[in-house]
Structure formats: structure tokens, C-alpha cells
PDB file of all heavy atoms in Angstrom:
ATOM      1  N   CYS A 134     -15.152  17.184  -2.525  1.00  0.00           N
ATOM      2  CA  CYS A 134     -15.698  16.363  -3.566  1.00  0.00           C
ATOM      3  C   CYS A 134     -16.377  15.113  -3.084  1.00  0.00           C
ATOM      4  O   CYS A 134     -17.604  14.913  -3.292  1.00  0.00           O
ATOM      5  CB  CYS A 134     -14.640  15.991  -4.580  1.00  0.00           C
ATOM      6  SG  CYS A 134     -13.005  15.482  -3.859  1.00  0.00           S
ATOM      7  N   ALA A 135     -15.725  14.205  -2.438  1.00  0.00           N
ATOM      8  CA  ALA A 135     -16.325  12.931  -2.013  1.00  0.00           C
ATOM      9  C   ALA A 135     -17.465  13.147  -1.023  1.00  0.00           C
ATOM     10  O   ALA A 135     -18.482  12.517  -1.118  1.00  0.00           O
ATOM     11  CB  ALA A 135     -15.274  12.025  -1.426  1.00  0.00           C
ATOM     12  N   GLU A 136     -17.283  14.102  -0.129  1.00  0.00           N
ATOM     13  CA  GLU A 136     -18.357  14.402   0.859  1.00  0.00           C
ATOM     14  C   GLU A 136     -19.619  14.922   0.151  1.00  0.00           C
ATOM     15  O   GLU A 136     -20.731  14.482   0.425  1.00  0.00           O
ATOM     16  CB  GLU A 136     -17.850  15.482   1.776  1.00  0.00           C
ATOM     17  CG  GLU A 136     -16.695  15.081   2.645  1.00  0.00           C
ATOM     18  CD  GLU A 136     -15.994  16.253   3.313  1.00  0.00           C
ATOM     19  OE1 GLU A 136     -15.981  17.369   2.786  1.00  0.00           O
ATOM     20  OE2 GLU A 136     -15.391  16.040   4.414  1.00  0.00           O
ATOM     21  N   SER A 137     -19.387  15.820  -0.856  1.00  0.00           N
ATOM     22  CA  SER A 137     -20.524  16.422  -1.595  1.00  0.00           C
ATOM     23  C   SER A 137     -21.308  15.410  -2.369  1.00  0.00           C
ATOM     24  O   SER A 137     -22.546  15.386  -2.342  1.00  0.00           O
ATOM     25  CB  SER A 137     -20.041  17.538  -2.492  1.00  0.00           C
ATOM     26  OG  SER A 137     -19.372  18.533  -1.759  1.00  0.00           O
ATOM     27  N   VAL A 138     -20.602  14.546  -3.075  1.00  0.00           N
ATOM     28  CA  VAL A 138     -21.297  13.551  -3.893  1.00  0.00           C
ATOM     29  C   VAL A 138     -22.033  12.517  -2.987  1.00  0.00           C
ATOM     30  O   VAL A 138     -23.168  12.259  -3.268  1.00  0.00           O
ATOM     31  CB  VAL A 138     -20.263  12.827  -4.793  1.00  0.00           C
ATOM     32  CG1 VAL A 138     -20.917  11.641  -5.524  1.00  0.00           C
ATOM     33  CG2 VAL A 138     -19.686  13.812  -5.843  1.00  0.00           C
ATOM     34  N   LEU A 139     -21.361  12.060  -2.004  1.00  0.00           N
ATOM     35  CA  LEU A 139     -22.029  11.106  -1.085  1.00  0.00           C
ATOM     36  C   LEU A 139     -23.242  11.742  -0.363  1.00  0.00           C
ATOM     37  O   LEU A 139     -24.327  11.127  -0.396  1.00  0.00           O
ATOM     38  CB  LEU A 139     -21.100  10.639  -0.005  1.00  0.00           C
ATOM     39  CG  LEU A 139     -21.673   9.652   1.005  1.00  0.00           C
ATOM     40  CD1 LEU A 139     -22.255   8.387   0.340  1.00  0.00           C
ATOM     41  CD2 LEU A 139     -20.669   9.289   2.086  1.00  0.00           C
ATOM     42  N   LEU A 140     -23.132  12.955   0.045  1.00  0.00           N
ATOM     43  CA  LEU A 140     -24.304  13.688   0.666  1.00  0.00           C
ATOM     44  C   LEU A 140     -25.425  13.825  -0.304  1.00  0.00           C
ATOM     45  O   LEU A 140     -26.632  13.573   0.063  1.00  0.00           O
ATOM     46  CB  LEU A 140     -23.876  15.014   1.190  1.00  0.00           C
ATOM     47  CG  LEU A 140     -23.284  15.117   2.563  1.00  0.00           C
ATOM     48  CD1 LEU A 140     -22.660  16.438   2.796  1.00  0.00           C
ATOM     49  CD2 LEU A 140     -24.422  14.901   3.579  1.00  0.00           C
ATOM     50  N   ALA A 141     -25.113  14.177  -1.559  1.00  0.00           N
ATOM     51  CA  ALA A 141     -26.177  14.431  -2.532  1.00  0.00           C
ATOM     52  C   ALA A 141     -26.878  13.134  -2.904  1.00  0.00           C
ATOM     53  O   ALA A 141     -28.140  13.105  -3.008  1.00  0.00           O
ATOM     54  CB  ALA A 141     -25.596  15.077  -3.781  1.00  0.00           C
ATOM     55  N   ILE A 142     -26.127  12.080  -3.008  1.00  0.00           N
ATOM     56  CA  ILE A 142     -26.749  10.754  -3.255  1.00  0.00           C
ATOM     57  C   ILE A 142     -27.601  10.282  -2.114  1.00  0.00           C
ATOM     58  O   ILE A 142     -28.687   9.805  -2.348  1.00  0.00           O
ATOM     59  CB  ILE A 142     -25.614   9.707  -3.691  1.00  0.00           C
ATOM     60  CG1 ILE A 142     -25.027  10.079  -5.057  1.00  0.00           C
ATOM     61  CG2 ILE A 142     -26.188   8.348  -3.715  1.00  0.00           C
ATOM     62  CD1 ILE A 142     -23.824   9.257  -5.443  1.00  0.00           C
ATOM     63  N   ALA A 143     -27.027  10.411  -0.930  1.00  0.00           N
ATOM     64  CA  ALA A 143     -27.751  10.015   0.272  1.00  0.00           C
ATOM     65  C   ALA A 143     -29.121  10.790   0.400  1.00  0.00           C
ATOM     66  O   ALA A 143     -30.198  10.197   0.660  1.00  0.00           O
ATOM     67  CB  ALA A 143     -26.943  10.174   1.518  1.00  0.00           C
ATOM     68  N   GLU A 144     -29.036  12.072   0.164  1.00  0.00           N
ATOM     69  CA  GLU A 144     -30.235  12.888   0.235  1.00  0.00           C
ATOM     70  C   GLU A 144     -31.243  12.476  -0.845  1.00  0.00           C
ATOM     71  O   GLU A 144     -32.469  12.362  -0.527  1.00  0.00           O
ATOM     72  CB  GLU A 144     -29.907  14.382   0.012  1.00  0.00           C
ATOM     73  CG  GLU A 144     -29.238  14.982   1.169  1.00  0.00           C
ATOM     74  CD  GLU A 144     -28.840  16.479   0.928  1.00  0.00           C
ATOM     75  OE1 GLU A 144     -29.210  17.062  -0.114  1.00  0.00           O
ATOM     76  OE2 GLU A 144     -28.168  17.041   1.779  1.00  0.00           O
ATOM     77  N   GLU A 145     -30.804  12.205  -2.058  1.00  0.00           N
ATOM     78  CA  GLU A 145     -31.692  11.797  -3.117  1.00  0.00           C
ATOM     79  C   GLU A 145     -32.343  10.466  -2.779  1.00  0.00           C
ATOM     80  O   GLU A 145     -33.515  10.261  -3.194  1.00  0.00           O
ATOM     81  CB  GLU A 145     -30.842  11.671  -4.392  1.00  0.00           C
ATOM     82  CG  GLU A 145     -31.665  11.136  -5.617  1.00  0.00           C
ATOM     83  CD  GLU A 145     -32.549  12.168  -6.236  1.00  0.00           C
ATOM     84  OE1 GLU A 145     -32.451  13.384  -5.885  1.00  0.00           O
ATOM     85  OE2 GLU A 145     -33.393  11.739  -7.017  1.00  0.00           O
ATOM     86  N   ARG A 146     -31.632   9.551  -2.073  1.00  0.00           N
ATOM     87  CA  ARG A 146     -32.157   8.254  -1.748  1.00  0.00           C
ATOM     88  C   ARG A 146     -32.887   8.294  -0.371  1.00  0.00           C
ATOM     89  O   ARG A 146     -33.313   7.201   0.057  1.00  0.00           O
ATOM     90  CB  ARG A 146     -31.086   7.221  -1.723  1.00  0.00           C
ATOM     91  CG  ARG A 146     -30.411   6.969  -3.066  1.00  0.00           C
ATOM     92  CD  ARG A 146     -31.304   6.745  -4.236  1.00  0.00           C
ATOM     93  NE  ARG A 146     -31.985   5.461  -4.242  1.00  0.00           N
ATOM     94  CZ  ARG A 146     -31.666   4.350  -4.847  1.00  0.00           C
ATOM     95  NH1 ARG A 146     -30.572   4.345  -5.553  1.00  0.00           N
ATOM     96  NH2 ARG A 146     -32.392   3.301  -4.804  1.00  0.00           N
ATOM     97  N   GLY A 147     -32.964   9.369   0.280  1.00  0.00           N
ATOM     98  CA  GLY A 147     -33.668   9.489   1.560  1.00  0.00           C
ATOM     99  C   GLY A 147     -32.864   8.814   2.728  1.00  0.00           C
ATOM    100  O   GLY A 147     -33.479   8.346   3.694  1.00  0.00           O
ATOM    101  N   ILE A 148     -31.605   8.747   2.567  1.00  0.00           N
ATOM    102  CA  ILE A 148     -30.729   8.124   3.589  1.00  0.00           C
ATOM    103  C   ILE A 148     -30.073   9.118   4.516  1.00  0.00           C
ATOM    104  O   ILE A 148     -29.409  10.031   3.973  1.00  0.00           O
ATOM    105  CB  ILE A 148     -29.609   7.218   2.881  1.00  0.00           C
ATOM    106  CG1 ILE A 148     -30.316   6.116   2.092  1.00  0.00           C
ATOM    107  CG2 ILE A 148     -28.731   6.590   3.977  1.00  0.00           C
ATOM    108  CD1 ILE A 148     -29.381   5.398   1.150  1.00  0.00           C
ATOM    109  N   GLN A 149     -30.241   8.969   5.780  1.00  0.00           N
ATOM    110  CA  GLN A 149     -29.642   9.865   6.727  1.00  0.00           C
ATOM    111  C   GLN A 149     -28.792   9.093   7.749  1.00  0.00           C
ATOM    112  O   GLN A 149     -29.213   8.066   8.181  1.00  0.00           O
ATOM    113  CB  GLN A 149     -30.667  10.678   7.513  1.00  0.00           C
ATOM    114  CG  GLN A 149     -31.540  11.592   6.638  1.00  0.00           C
ATOM    115  CD  GLN A 149     -32.566  12.367   7.424  1.00  0.00           C
ATOM    116  OE1 GLN A 149     -32.820  12.004   8.596  1.00  0.00           O
ATOM    117  NE2 GLN A 149     -33.099  13.413   6.854  1.00  0.00           N
ATOM    118  N   SER A 150     -27.640   9.669   8.018  1.00  0.00           N
ATOM    119  CA  SER A 150     -26.765   9.066   9.004  1.00  0.00           C
ATOM    120  C   SER A 150     -25.811  10.093   9.524  1.00  0.00           C
ATOM    121  O   SER A 150     -25.328  10.893   8.742  1.00  0.00           O
ATOM    122  CB  SER A 150     -26.002   7.888   8.431  1.00  0.00           C
ATOM    123  OG  SER A 150     -24.996   7.392   9.360  1.00  0.00           O
ATOM    124  N   ASP A 151     -25.516  10.044  10.799  1.00  0.00           N
ATOM    125  CA  ASP A 151     -24.510  10.969  11.315  1.00  0.00           C
ATOM    126  C   ASP A 151     -23.061  10.626  10.781  1.00  0.00           C
ATOM    127  O   ASP A 151     -22.183  11.399  10.864  1.00  0.00           O
ATOM    128  CB  ASP A 151     -24.394  10.822  12.812  1.00  0.00           C
ATOM    129  CG  ASP A 151     -25.624  11.353  13.548  1.00  0.00           C
ATOM    130  OD1 ASP A 151     -26.352  12.143  12.900  1.00  0.00           O
ATOM    131  OD2 ASP A 151     -25.887  10.993  14.683  1.00  0.00           O
ATOM    132  N   LEU A 152     -22.950   9.465  10.106  1.00  0.00           N
ATOM    133  CA  LEU A 152     -21.683   9.119   9.583  1.00  0.00           C
ATOM    134  C   LEU A 152     -21.441   9.785   8.171  1.00  0.00           C
ATOM    135  O   LEU A 152     -20.352   9.762   7.654  1.00  0.00           O
ATOM    136  CB  LEU A 152     -21.564   7.591   9.386  1.00  0.00           C
ATOM    137  CG  LEU A 152     -21.615   6.791  10.663  1.00  0.00           C
ATOM    138  CD1 LEU A 152     -21.635   5.324  10.368  1.00  0.00           C
ATOM    139  CD2 LEU A 152     -20.432   7.120  11.563  1.00  0.00           C
ATOM    140  N   ILE A 153     -22.519  10.271   7.567  1.00  0.00           N
ATOM    141  CA  ILE A 153     -22.400  10.937   6.268  1.00  0.00           C
ATOM    142  C   ILE A 153     -22.400  12.447   6.508  1.00  0.00           C
ATOM    143  O   ILE A 153     -23.272  12.962   7.196  1.00  0.00           O
ATOM    144  CB  ILE A 153     -23.611  10.616   5.375  1.00  0.00           C
ATOM    145  CG1 ILE A 153     -23.693   9.126   5.189  1.00  0.00           C
ATOM    146  CG2 ILE A 153     -23.541  11.344   4.068  1.00  0.00           C
ATOM    147  CD1 ILE A 153     -25.014   8.644   4.475  1.00  0.00           C
ATOM    148  N   PRO A 154     -21.408  13.177   6.132  1.00  0.00           N
ATOM    149  CA  PRO A 154     -20.293  12.852   5.231  1.00  0.00           C
ATOM    150  C   PRO A 154     -19.007  12.359   5.856  1.00  0.00           C
ATOM    151  O   PRO A 154     -18.023  12.187   5.096  1.00  0.00           O
ATOM    152  CB  PRO A 154     -20.085  14.220   4.538  1.00  0.00           C
ATOM    153  CG  PRO A 154     -20.232  15.211   5.673  1.00  0.00           C
ATOM    154  CD  PRO A 154     -21.388  14.598   6.465  1.00  0.00           C
ATOM    155  N   LYS A 155     -18.972  12.198   7.156  1.00  0.00           N
ATOM    156  CA  LYS A 155     -17.727  11.875   7.809  1.00  0.00           C
ATOM    157  C   LYS A 155     -16.967  10.718   7.133  1.00  0.00           C
ATOM    158  O   LYS A 155     -15.724  10.812   7.008  1.00  0.00           O
ATOM    159  CB  LYS A 155     -17.946  11.372   9.251  1.00  0.00           C
ATOM    160  CG  LYS A 155     -18.334  12.518  10.218  1.00  0.00           C
ATOM    161  CD  LYS A 155     -18.551  11.878  11.603  1.00  0.00           C
ATOM    162  CE  LYS A 155     -18.619  12.886  12.665  1.00  0.00           C
ATOM    163  NZ  LYS A 155     -18.566  12.292  13.994  1.00  0.00           N
ATOM    164  N   ILE A 156     -17.659   9.686   6.705  1.00  0.00           N
ATOM    165  CA  ILE A 156     -16.927   8.540   6.181  1.00  0.00           C
ATOM    166  C   ILE A 156     -16.272   8.819   4.811  1.00  0.00           C
ATOM    167  O   ILE A 156     -15.406   8.133   4.294  1.00  0.00           O
ATOM    168  CB  ILE A 156     -17.853   7.289   6.031  1.00  0.00           C
ATOM    169  CG1 ILE A 156     -19.016   7.630   5.084  1.00  0.00           C
ATOM    170  CG2 ILE A 156     -18.312   6.827   7.378  1.00  0.00           C
ATOM    171  CD1 ILE A 156     -19.822   6.362   4.752  1.00  0.00           C
ATOM    172  N   ALA A 157     -16.666   9.961   4.203  1.00  0.00           N
ATOM    173  CA  ALA A 157     -16.096  10.376   2.892  1.00  0.00           C
ATOM    174  C   ALA A 157     -14.859  11.253   2.963  1.00  0.00           C
ATOM    175  O   ALA A 157     -14.143  11.423   1.969  1.00  0.00           O
ATOM    176  CB  ALA A 157     -17.211  10.968   2.072  1.00  0.00           C
ATOM    177  N   THR A 158     -14.608  11.833   4.107  1.00  0.00           N
ATOM    178  CA  THR A 158     -13.656  12.979   4.200  1.00  0.00           C
ATOM    179  C   THR A 158     -12.286  12.570   3.705  1.00  0.00           C
ATOM    180  O   THR A 158     -11.627  13.237   2.922  1.00  0.00           O
ATOM    181  CB  THR A 158     -13.547  13.530   5.615  1.00  0.00           C
ATOM    182  OG1 THR A 158     -14.839  14.024   5.943  1.00  0.00           O
ATOM    183  CG2 THR A 158     -12.574  14.701   5.729  1.00  0.00           C
ATOM    184  N   GLY A 159     -11.787  11.422   4.077  1.00  0.00           N
ATOM    185  CA  GLY A 159     -10.441  10.988   3.702  1.00  0.00           C
ATOM    186  C   GLY A 159     -10.355  10.605   2.256  1.00  0.00           C
ATOM    187  O   GLY A 159      -9.220  10.461   1.707  1.00  0.00           O
ATOM    188  N   PHE A 160     -11.464  10.492   1.559  1.00  0.00           N
ATOM    189  CA  PHE A 160     -11.415  10.162   0.122  1.00  0.00           C
ATOM    190  C   PHE A 160     -11.369  11.441  -0.732  1.00  0.00           C
ATOM    191  O   PHE A 160     -11.226  11.317  -1.923  1.00  0.00           O
ATOM    192  CB  PHE A 160     -12.619   9.321  -0.259  1.00  0.00           C
ATOM    193  CG  PHE A 160     -12.633   8.001   0.354  1.00  0.00           C
ATOM    194  CD1 PHE A 160     -13.235   7.705   1.580  1.00  0.00           C
ATOM    195  CD2 PHE A 160     -11.984   6.947  -0.322  1.00  0.00           C
ATOM    196  CE1 PHE A 160     -13.221   6.461   2.169  1.00  0.00           C
ATOM    197  CE2 PHE A 160     -11.926   5.675   0.286  1.00  0.00           C
ATOM    198  CZ  PHE A 160     -12.601   5.451   1.508  1.00  0.00           C
ATOM    199  N   CYS A 161     -11.508  12.614  -0.155  1.00  0.00           N
ATOM    200  CA  CYS A 161     -11.471  13.843  -0.894  1.00  0.00           C
ATOM    201  C   CYS A 161     -10.096  14.150  -1.408  1.00  0.00           C
ATOM    202  O   CYS A 161      -9.100  13.641  -0.827  1.00  0.00           O
ATOM    203  CB  CYS A 161     -12.009  14.974   0.021  1.00  0.00           C
ATOM    204  SG  CYS A 161     -13.742  14.800   0.562  1.00  0.00           S
ATOM    205  N   SER A 162      -9.978  15.040  -2.423  1.00  0.00           N
ATOM    206  CA  SER A 162      -8.772  15.510  -2.953  1.00  0.00           C
ATOM    207  C   SER A 162      -7.840  14.350  -3.368  1.00  0.00           C
ATOM    208  O   SER A 162      -6.666  14.293  -3.151  1.00  0.00           O
ATOM    209  CB  SER A 162      -8.004  16.397  -1.935  1.00  0.00           C
ATOM    210  OG  SER A 162      -8.806  17.406  -1.460  1.00  0.00           O
ATOM    211  N   GLY A 163      -8.377  13.411  -4.086  1.00  0.00           N
ATOM    212  CA  GLY A 163      -7.628  12.321  -4.636  1.00  0.00           C
ATOM    213  C   GLY A 163      -7.107  11.348  -3.511  1.00  0.00           C
ATOM    214  O   GLY A 163      -5.920  11.053  -3.444  1.00  0.00           O
ATOM    215  N   ILE A 164      -7.958  11.010  -2.622  1.00  0.00           N
ATOM    216  CA  ILE A 164      -7.706  10.253  -1.342  1.00  0.00           C
ATOM    217  C   ILE A 164      -6.619  10.934  -0.563  1.00  0.00           C
ATOM    218  O   ILE A 164      -5.393  10.569  -0.524  1.00  0.00           O
ATOM    219  CB  ILE A 164      -7.273   8.747  -1.690  1.00  0.00           C
ATOM    220  CG1 ILE A 164      -8.410   8.081  -2.518  1.00  0.00           C
ATOM    221  CG2 ILE A 164      -7.055   7.966  -0.406  1.00  0.00           C
ATOM    222  CD1 ILE A 164      -8.192   6.687  -2.898  1.00  0.00           C
ATOM    223  N   SER A 165      -7.046  11.991   0.103  1.00  0.00           N
ATOM    224  CA  SER A 165      -6.264  12.757   1.013  1.00  0.00           C
ATOM    225  C   SER A 165      -4.927  13.291   0.381  1.00  0.00           C
ATOM    226  O   SER A 165      -3.894  13.277   0.971  1.00  0.00           O
ATOM    227  CB  SER A 165      -5.919  11.938   2.227  1.00  0.00           C
ATOM    228  OG  SER A 165      -7.048  11.575   2.956  1.00  0.00           O
ATOM    229  N   ARG A 166      -5.114  13.843  -0.824  1.00  0.00           N
ATOM    230  CA  ARG A 166      -3.999  14.484  -1.568  1.00  0.00           C
ATOM    231  C   ARG A 166      -2.843  13.462  -1.917  1.00  0.00           C
ATOM    232  O   ARG A 166      -1.716  13.926  -2.063  1.00  0.00           O
ATOM    233  CB  ARG A 166      -3.409  15.656  -0.772  1.00  0.00           C
ATOM    234  CG  ARG A 166      -4.427  16.777  -0.580  1.00  0.00           C
ATOM    235  CD  ARG A 166      -3.738  17.915   0.124  1.00  0.00           C
ATOM    236  NE  ARG A 166      -4.696  18.987   0.429  1.00  0.00           N
ATOM    237  CZ  ARG A 166      -4.640  19.766   1.479  1.00  0.00           C
ATOM    238  NH1 ARG A 166      -3.727  19.589   2.363  1.00  0.00           N
ATOM    239  NH2 ARG A 166      -5.568  20.723   1.625  1.00  0.00           N
ATOM    240  N   THR A 167      -3.138  12.215  -2.096  1.00  0.00           N
ATOM    241  CA  THR A 167      -2.082  11.259  -2.450  1.00  0.00           C
ATOM    242  C   THR A 167      -2.028  11.062  -3.956  1.00  0.00           C
ATOM    243  O   THR A 167      -1.156  10.312  -4.450  1.00  0.00           O
ATOM    244  CB  THR A 167      -2.380   9.825  -1.776  1.00  0.00           C
ATOM    245  OG1 THR A 167      -3.605   9.333  -2.264  1.00  0.00           O
ATOM    246  CG2 THR A 167      -2.373   9.974  -0.316  1.00  0.00           C
ATOM    247  N   GLY A 168      -2.878  11.768  -4.686  1.00  0.00           N
ATOM    248  CA  GLY A 168      -2.895  11.643  -6.129  1.00  0.00           C
ATOM    249  C   GLY A 168      -3.676  10.430  -6.614  1.00  0.00           C
ATOM    250  O   GLY A 168      -3.561  10.060  -7.751  1.00  0.00           O
ATOM    251  N   GLY A 169      -4.482   9.830  -5.737  1.00  0.00           N
ATOM    252  CA  GLY A 169      -5.271   8.673  -6.096  1.00  0.00           C
ATOM    253  C   GLY A 169      -6.610   8.930  -6.785  1.00  0.00           C
ATOM    254  O   GLY A 169      -6.656   9.952  -7.480  1.00  0.00           O
ATOM    255  N   MET A 170      -7.528   8.072  -6.586  1.00  0.00           N
ATOM    256  CA  MET A 170      -8.793   8.219  -7.248  1.00  0.00           C
ATOM    257  C   MET A 170      -9.495   9.526  -6.971  1.00  0.00           C
ATOM    258  O   MET A 170      -9.468   9.972  -5.834  1.00  0.00           O
ATOM    259  CB  MET A 170      -9.713   7.062  -6.829  1.00  0.00           C
ATOM    260  CG  MET A 170     -11.104   7.079  -7.505  1.00  0.00           C
ATOM    261  SD  MET A 170     -12.109   5.670  -7.150  1.00  0.00           S
ATOM    262  CE  MET A 170     -11.441   4.520  -8.358  1.00  0.00           C
ATOM    263  N   CYS A 171     -10.105  10.074  -7.989  1.00  0.00           N
ATOM    264  CA  CYS A 171     -10.927  11.248  -7.885  1.00  0.00           C
ATOM    265  C   CYS A 171     -11.880  11.095  -6.750  1.00  0.00           C
ATOM    266  O   CYS A 171     -12.613  10.114  -6.627  1.00  0.00           O
ATOM    267  CB  CYS A 171     -11.650  11.462  -9.208  1.00  0.00           C
ATOM    268  SG  CYS A 171     -12.879  12.784  -9.193  1.00  0.00           S
ATOM    269  N   GLY A 172     -11.926  12.139  -5.859  1.00  0.00           N
ATOM    270  CA  GLY A 172     -12.852  12.086  -4.763  1.00  0.00           C
ATOM    271  C   GLY A 172     -14.355  12.025  -5.153  1.00  0.00           C
ATOM    272  O   GLY A 172     -15.150  11.378  -4.461  1.00  0.00           O
ATOM    273  N   ALA A 173     -14.693  12.667  -6.294  1.00  0.00           N
ATOM    274  CA  ALA A 173     -16.050  12.554  -6.760  1.00  0.00           C
ATOM    275  C   ALA A 173     -16.428  11.146  -7.061  1.00  0.00           C
ATOM    276  O   ALA A 173     -17.528  10.702  -6.804  1.00  0.00           O
ATOM    277  CB  ALA A 173     -16.268  13.444  -7.962  1.00  0.00           C
ATOM    278  N   VAL A 174     -15.527  10.456  -7.672  1.00  0.00           N
ATOM    279  CA  VAL A 174     -15.816   9.003  -8.005  1.00  0.00           C
ATOM    280  C   VAL A 174     -15.868   8.165  -6.764  1.00  0.00           C
ATOM    281  O   VAL A 174     -16.776   7.330  -6.566  1.00  0.00           O
ATOM    282  CB  VAL A 174     -14.698   8.460  -8.981  1.00  0.00           C
ATOM    283  CG1 VAL A 174     -14.877   6.975  -9.225  1.00  0.00           C
ATOM    284  CG2 VAL A 174     -14.703   9.267 -10.322  1.00  0.00           C
ATOM    285  N   SER A 175     -14.968   8.445  -5.815  1.00  0.00           N
ATOM    286  CA  SER A 175     -14.970   7.752  -4.512  1.00  0.00           C
ATOM    287  C   SER A 175     -16.299   7.951  -3.828  1.00  0.00           C
ATOM    288  O   SER A 175     -16.942   7.049  -3.291  1.00  0.00           O
ATOM    289  CB  SER A 175     -13.838   8.162  -3.625  1.00  0.00           C
ATOM    290  OG  SER A 175     -12.598   7.852  -4.138  1.00  0.00           O
ATOM    291  N   GLY A 176     -16.794   9.222  -3.840  1.00  0.00           N
ATOM    292  CA  GLY A 176     -18.101   9.514  -3.191  1.00  0.00           C
ATOM    293  C   GLY A 176     -19.224   8.837  -3.902  1.00  0.00           C
ATOM    294  O   GLY A 176     -20.176   8.364  -3.249  1.00  0.00           O
ATOM    295  N   ALA A 177     -19.163   8.731  -5.180  1.00  0.00           N
ATOM    296  CA  ALA A 177     -20.222   8.030  -5.949  1.00  0.00           C
ATOM    297  C   ALA A 177     -20.133   6.525  -5.685  1.00  0.00           C
ATOM    298  O   ALA A 177     -21.229   5.961  -5.557  1.00  0.00           O
ATOM    299  CB  ALA A 177     -20.027   8.319  -7.429  1.00  0.00           C
ATOM    300  N   ILE A 178     -18.971   5.999  -5.518  1.00  0.00           N
ATOM    301  CA  ILE A 178     -18.915   4.567  -5.150  1.00  0.00           C
ATOM    302  C   ILE A 178     -19.524   4.341  -3.777  1.00  0.00           C
ATOM    303  O   ILE A 178     -20.290   3.397  -3.557  1.00  0.00           O
ATOM    304  CB  ILE A 178     -17.445   4.059  -5.171  1.00  0.00           C
ATOM    305  CG1 ILE A 178     -16.926   4.076  -6.615  1.00  0.00           C
ATOM    306  CG2 ILE A 178     -17.282   2.697  -4.566  1.00  0.00           C
ATOM    307  CD1 ILE A 178     -15.408   3.885  -6.735  1.00  0.00           C
ATOM    308  N   MET A 179     -19.254   5.242  -2.802  1.00  0.00           N
ATOM    309  CA  MET A 179     -19.888   5.097  -1.511  1.00  0.00           C
ATOM    310  C   MET A 179     -21.400   5.250  -1.627  1.00  0.00           C
ATOM    311  O   MET A 179     -22.147   4.543  -0.921  1.00  0.00           O
ATOM    312  CB  MET A 179     -19.247   6.140  -0.545  1.00  0.00           C
ATOM    313  CG  MET A 179     -17.876   5.733  -0.041  1.00  0.00           C
ATOM    314  SD  MET A 179     -17.246   6.877   1.122  1.00  0.00           S
ATOM    315  CE  MET A 179     -16.419   8.070   0.038  1.00  0.00           C
TER     316      MET A 179
END
């Protein structure tokens, strides 16, 4: 989730970095399956 949203936004904005999607991975599945914030929302915030 977080990786996909961040990648899609970065692509839309013409932003490329080797750090994308890496920086989003731990935010997926409700912050690494901790039941936290939705990964899609986290990716959108990034």
C-alpha cells in the first residue's frame, strides 16, 4: 500500500529516487502490521 501510493505520486510529479519506494516499506500494512495508520494514507503523506 504505502509503496504503491508513494510511487504513483512520485511518478505523477516526475520525481525519481532510488529511495522510492524503499522509504515507504515499513509504513505498509498499518505500519509494519502494528495496527497503526493505513499504509495508503502513510504513502500519501510521504
